[in-house]
Amino acid sequence: MMKLHYLELNDNQLTGHIPPELGKLTDLFDLNVADNQLEGPIPDNLSSCTNLISLNVHGNKLNGTIPHAFEKLESMTYLNLSSNNIKGPLPIELSRIGNLDTLDISNNKISGSIPSSIGDLEHLLKLNLSRNQLNGFIPAEFGNLGSVMEIDLSNNHLSGSIPRELSQLQNMFALRLENNNLSGDVMSLINCLSLTILNVSYNNLAGVIPTSNNFSRFSPDSFTGNLGLCGYWVNYSCQELHPTERGTISKALILGIALGALLIFLMILVAAYRSHNPTSFPEGSLDKPVNYSTPKLVILHMNMALHVYEDIMRMTENLSEKYIIGYGASSTVYKCTLKNCKPVAIKRLYSHYPQCLKEFETELETVGSIKHRNLVSLQGYSLSPSGNLLFYDYMENGSLWDLLHGPTKKKKLDWDTRLQIALGAAQGLAYLHHDCSPRIIHRDVKSSNILLDDDYEAHLTDFGIAKSLCISKSHTSTYIMGTIGYIDPEYARTSRLTEKSDVYSFGIVLLELLTGRKPVDNECNLHHLILSKTANNTVMETADFEITATCKDLGSVKKLFQLALLCSKRQPSDRPTMHEVTRVLRSLVPSPTPAKQCSMAPPPPLPSSKSPCYIDEYANLKTPHLVNCPSMSTSDAQLFLKFGEVISQNSE
């Protein structure tokens, strides 16, 4: 037990206290006791588990305070203490767990103010302090949380204004501040261009609600319960809201009339002067005011030839809502049918990139030149102050995310289709990593960025936001890019980006395909779940029903689980390259010759008389010494257990 890495005891009926003796498990990576009936305080001894990456005690009856000794847990990335009876202040020591990407202490009895040092958690992606008894101001230092995507401070007693510094959070897509005592206006949020979920209802906010930028996405429910707010969203005129005294109006009226008369007099003088001294203008200059010029449409694909910006606006009725086919954290997507009757997808970016427009345009030119059957082509773009538009191939069957998790699953994915989707996405990513010049890191590999054409062939999209790889093969950024659930923990910890960060994300996509589950769903992390099931050799219980119903050789399913876990190993150097991943996937895809089973066809015989087994496909990966090829009589279950030697080192 002393070498135990994963302890998953969640969703049982455990009672009593958390044993302090757990602090002796110094090799523990993951402790999950969520949704039990445990009582008492959280033991200080847990701080001795210095390798702990994830701690989840959600949904118990724990009391006491948050241990200050948690500051020793420097490797911790996930801390969930929500839905307990924990009291006391929010300890400043939590801000010293520098690798935290998720901090959830919601639905407790935490009191006092929020420490400003929480703003030092530069890798934080999700912060939930809702349903407590917090008071004081929202720290301006939250503006330093450059990677944060979700902040929930709702149902507390917070006061003061919404900090202007929050406008710096360009990755934040959800902000919940409802049911507090906040005052001031909401103008500080107008530049949070990625914000798609906002709730500031039932506060003491006042002033005009903007209608521009991201505010066009929010419903009136986001602002209800603030008597001082006015404007379009609350159907309340701002003039009615600020009655002024009669004497003040009279003085203002008199001053306005006087200034107006003076202005008219000056205009008459200027007109009279110009009639005697006409000004000569360069030919054509009157018709070309710089600030109102028509945006230029740059064509990168013959499919859009003979089109101009005005054509696109006319065909989409100025990007009317009825042409919207999807939303993202950074864009809205429209469908447009061109003159040749072929559809394109138009991605309208929320951010205008005012500081690096030339650099962005250069990158788009590079991306537009990349052609591969498993990559979505960039057909054109238009960059202007009125909005940046990117034109892509239109994919009839939407995204893999929609197919796996969408409300209307219009197709059941059998095993062969899932394998073909995995192979297509892998081939597209391998091309970016190994065959582009300069090579490209995607940065946001996920199922919603894998689009499917009429034949359900996979096409990787959104690599236009990737940065070109330099000769050093790595890139260090000031904030984390990606999506929760798919982000490489090593990248989140170090901000050091390599192709292996994409490999990790692709491993999570494989787990999605295998299980039909979301990477993060409520309190469940898919990767952690699969690791715990692997330790008990029960991982096949998580396979999607459509797989077990359509695949007659479940050994190939086990092999794909193995590959997914190899891609998502903790150390980037232990993960395969995408070329290696593609080679393994090709070996699993059924032969085009008529065959009724979904297992792979045996490879061509080697000069030796002994036929190779599937495990040879892993021979060139990073841990060949850990994988032995057993005899052909060895069962798939035994092969899986042997491969567990590789998996067991996932966190070393």
Side-chain angles (χ1 to χ4, degrees), residues 60 238 277 332 429 529 596 605 610 624 633:
N60 284 283
C238 295
N277 299 279
T332 300
L429 193 55
L529 172 68
K596 294 184 179 180
K610 187 176 180 180
S633 62

Side-chain angles (χ1 to χ4, degrees), residues 369-474:
S369 66
I370 296 173
K371 307 297 177 188
H372 187 274
R373 65 176 295 165
N374 296 115
L375 296 176
V376 179
S377 294
L378 180 67
Q379 298 196 12
Y381 63 89
S382 173
L383 307 181
S384 73
S386 60
N388 293 330
L389 308 179
L390 307 182
F391 297 81
Y392 286 101
D393 296 337
Y394 175 76
M395 295 291 151
E396 188 66 39
N397 284 308
S399 72
L400 178 59
W401 172 277
D402 295 332
L403 220 57
L404 292 174
H405 316 302
T408 56
K409 299 180 180 180
K410 53 186 178 182
K411 177 180 171 64
K412 293 182 178 180
L413 288 178
D414 59 32
W415 171 241
D416 288 350
T417 303
R418 293 181 197 232
L419 266 183
Q420 290 290 355
I421 290 172
L423 177 58
Q427 289 174 161
L429 193 55
Y431 184 82
L432 293 177
H433 285 186
H434 304 290
D435 300 311
C436 281
S437 181
R439 293 180 293 166
I440 289 177
I441 301 178
H442 189 289
R443 293 174 171 243
D444 199 14
V445 175
K446 55 184 177 180
S447 58
S448 59
N449 279 338
I450 297 174
L451 304 185
L452 307 171
D453 63 17
D454 291 348
D455 299 320
Y456 290 90
E457 183 172 10
H459 302 258
L460 198 62
T461 188
D462 252 10
F463 57 91
I465 63 169
K467 298 293 183 186
S468 298
L469 259 181
C470 59
I471 301 303
S472 66
K473 301 184 181 180
S474 65

Side-chain angles (χ1 to χ4, degrees), residues 113-342:
S113 59
I114 302 174
S116 60
S117 57
I118 294 293
D120 295 336
L121 295 173
E122 60 180 348
H123 298 305
L124 201 63
L125 302 174
K126 179 179 179 180
L127 174 64
N128 192 343
L129 304 178
S130 64
R131 299 186 181 279
N132 280 291
Q133 300 168 17
L134 295 168
N135 54 40
F137 299 157
I138 299 174
E141 287 78 5
F142 274 19
N144 297 327
L145 300 174
S147 300
V148 78
M149 296 179 178
E150 301 178 46
I151 295 179
D152 190 346
L153 306 178
S154 61
N155 296 282
N156 280 289
H157 308 299
L158 299 172
S159 57
S161 60
I162 300 173
R164 302 282 171 186
E165 288 78 6
L166 294 190
S167 64
Q168 302 170 29
L169 304 181
Q170 292 302 305
N171 287 324
M172 181 171 63
F173 71 85
L175 177 63
R176 303 188 60 130
L177 302 174
E178 69 266 23
N179 292 299
N180 279 289
N181 300 313
L182 299 172
S183 56
D185 57 36
V186 295
M187 297 303 292
S188 59
L189 303 177
I190 196 170
N191 291 320
C192 294
L193 300 176
S194 295
L195 198 60
T196 55
I197 300 172
L198 173 67
N199 195 336
V200 294
S201 60
Y202 299 101
N203 279 284
N204 299 315
L205 298 170
V208 180
I209 302 174
T211 57
S212 58
N213 289 4
N214 53 331
F215 274 76
S216 61
R217 297 177 226 146
F218 308 137
S219 70
D221 293 339
S222 298
F223 308 102
T224 190
N226 291 281
L227 297 180
L229 285 178
C230 61
Y232 173 77
W233 294 118
V234 290
N235 296 318
Y236 202 75
S237 171
C238 295
Q239 293 178 351
E240 300 173 12
L241 207 57
H242 302 290
T244 52
E245 296 183 5
R246 189 169 185 176
T248 306
I249 293 175
S250 300
K251 291 177 182 177
L253 184 61
I254 294 170
L255 181 60
I257 292 172
L259 290 174
L262 179 59
L263 183 60
I264 291 171
F265 178 70
L266 290 173
M267 290 174 66
I268 293 172
L269 287 179
V270 170
Y273 174 78
R274 284 187 174 178
S275 65
H276 293 287
N277 299 279
T279 305
S280 60
F281 293 94
E283 185 179 351
S285 64
L286 291 176
D287 297 325
K288 297 181 181 178
V290 174
N291 294 334
Y292 300 95
S293 60
T294 302
K296 182 179 69 169
L297 179 61
V298 178
I299 306 297
L300 301 175
H301 193 285
M302 285 302 295
N303 188 41
M304 293 189 62
L306 305 179
H307 287 79
V308 293
Y309 183 85
E310 290 86 345
D311 294 330
I312 303 299
M313 291 299 106
R314 185 179 65 258
M315 293 168 179
T316 60
E317 300 175 43
N318 289 319
L319 297 179
S320 168
E321 287 187 1
K322 67 183 181 181
Y323 293 94
I324 293 176
I325 56 175
Y327 294 94
S330 61
S331 63
T332 300
V333 184
Y334 303 79
K335 180 181 178 181
C336 173
T337 303
L338 301 176
K339 295 176 183 179
N340 57 11
C341 297
K342 294 182 180 179

Side-chain angles (χ1 to χ4, degrees), residues 10-146:
N10 52 298
D11 297 295
N12 285 292
Q13 300 176 19
L14 299 175
T15 59
H17 292 200
I18 298 176
E21 290 78 9
L22 290 181
K24 297 178 182 179
L25 301 177
T26 53
D27 287 341
L28 198 63
F29 298 138
D30 185 355
L31 174 58
N32 188 347
V33 295
D35 296 306
N36 283 288
Q37 300 175 33
L38 298 171
E39 300 176 329
I42 300 173
D44 283 351
N45 302 47
L46 290 183
S47 62
S48 299
C49 302
T50 52
N51 287 309
L52 201 60
I53 296 173
S54 174
L55 173 60
N56 189 352
V57 299
H58 161 84
N60 284 283
K61 301 175 182 178
L62 300 174
N63 53 39
T65 60
I66 301 174
H68 291 226
F70 271 10
E71 67 176 323
K72 299 177 183 177
L73 302 176
E74 297 179 356
S75 298
M76 177 96 67
T77 62
Y78 181 89
L79 178 60
N80 190 341
L81 311 179
S82 61
S83 298
N84 283 285
N85 297 313
I86 301 172
K87 301 179 180 179
L90 202 59
I92 193 173
E93 286 78 9
L94 290 182
S95 63
R96 295 170 188 157
I97 311 176
N99 290 318
L100 269 183
D101 61 45
T102 300
L103 177 59
D104 190 344
I105 314 181
S106 60
N107 200 20
N108 278 289
K109 298 177 181 178
I110 303 295
S111 57
S113 59
I114 302 174
S116 60
S117 57
I118 294 293
D120 295 336
L121 295 173
E122 60 180 348
H123 298 305
L124 201 63
L125 302 174
K126 179 179 179 180
L127 174 64
N128 192 343
L129 304 178
S130 64
R131 299 186 181 279
N132 280 291
Q133 300 168 17
L134 295 168
N135 54 40
F137 299 157
I138 299 174
E141 287 78 5
F142 274 19
N144 297 327
L145 300 174

